[in-house]
Amino acid sequence: MFLDNRQVAMDSVLEALADSIDYFQDNIERLRPTLRDALKPHYTERLKQMRKLQELARAHLKMLPRDADVERDDFLWLWSRLKSFVGNDSQVLINELLEQERVLMQALSTLFTHPLPDPIEPVVEECMQGCRKLIRELYSLQKRKTHR
């Protein structure tokens, strides 16, 4: 089954959401407790939004769920660990999380260029707002770590 452009855009958003959640969960033990406590509510909310968006995409865009790209996840985790050997582990993680947010923002922006069913649009807007909040939090944490 081929996807139309709107379905492809939604698929990219769902993939970016899943990747960001997976990356956070895979690296949660590497975060200092203060960082973990600051970021965990953002990812808990993101997981709820992703599940809701998956249900809506299935119902309104006739999209089937897909499996995660395990090889890509493994590569990103390994690459991040290698970078941590030459830099501050927390800073590496914050930078990696920021990159995940950039990818997600780009996917969300692309999705907004397509007409969306009424029930989907508010959830996509919530995802966009959550992404902006998380970016602000990550930059704030980054500043605190560099000034110490």
Side-chain angles (χ1 to χ4, degrees):
M1 175 179 130
F2 291 104
L3 301 178
D4 63 30
N5 289 338
R6 182 174 64 166
Q7 289 171 318
V8 169
M10 176 61 80
D11 187 60
S12 294
V13 166
L14 292 171
E15 183 179 2
L17 286 167
D19 284 348
S20 73
I21 293 165
D22 287 348
Y23 187 81
F24 176 74
Q25 290 172 344
D26 290 347
N27 291 286
I28 198 165
E29 295 305 317
R30 291 173 57 196
L31 292 169
R32 291 190 186 112
T34 54
L35 290 174
R36 191 177 316 131
D37 292 345
L39 297 176
K40 199 166 189 173
H42 292 278
Y43 286 95
T44 301
E45 184 62 27
R46 175 162 292 168
L47 184 59
K48 290 177 192 173
Q49 291 169 342
M50 182 185 74
R51 287 184 177 144
K52 188 172 184 178
L53 203 52
Q54 286 171 329
E55 290 174 22
L56 291 168
R58 201 173 351 219
H60 296 281
L61 300 178
K62 310 297 184 239
M63 293 181 65
L64 300 174
R66 292 184 348 152
D67 291 332
D69 187 349
V70 177
E71 290 176 9
R72 182 179 181 279
D73 290 346
D74 291 344
F75 172 77
L76 288 174
W77 182 85
L78 181 59
W79 183 241
S80 178
R81 293 297 294 178
L82 288 171
K83 286 193 274 187
S84 292
F85 287 123
V86 295
N88 177 315
D89 200 31
S90 292
Q91 286 301 316
V92 168
L93 282 170
I94 289 171
N95 288 336
E96 296 289 332
L97 292 170
L98 278 167
E99 183 56 33
Q100 295 270 338
E101 295 310 295
R102 287 182 192 103
V103 169
L104 178 55
M105 285 295 283
Q106 189 172 24
L108 288 164
S109 295
T110 300
L111 182 59
F112 272 125
T113 66
H114 299 282
L116 298 173
D118 289 340
I120 290 179
E121 193 159 334
V123 180
V124 175
E125 287 176 3
E126 284 176 28
C127 289
M128 179 82 80
Q129 291 170 357
C131 189
R132 289 294 307 142
K133 286 179 189 174
L134 183 52
I135 288 170
R136 283 191 293 274
E137 182 73 34
L138 289 166
Y139 275 119
S140 172
L141 292 168
Q142 191 177 50
K143 278 184 185 177
R144 278 188 243 154
K145 296 299 171 193
T146 56
H147 290 304
R148 286 186 179 173

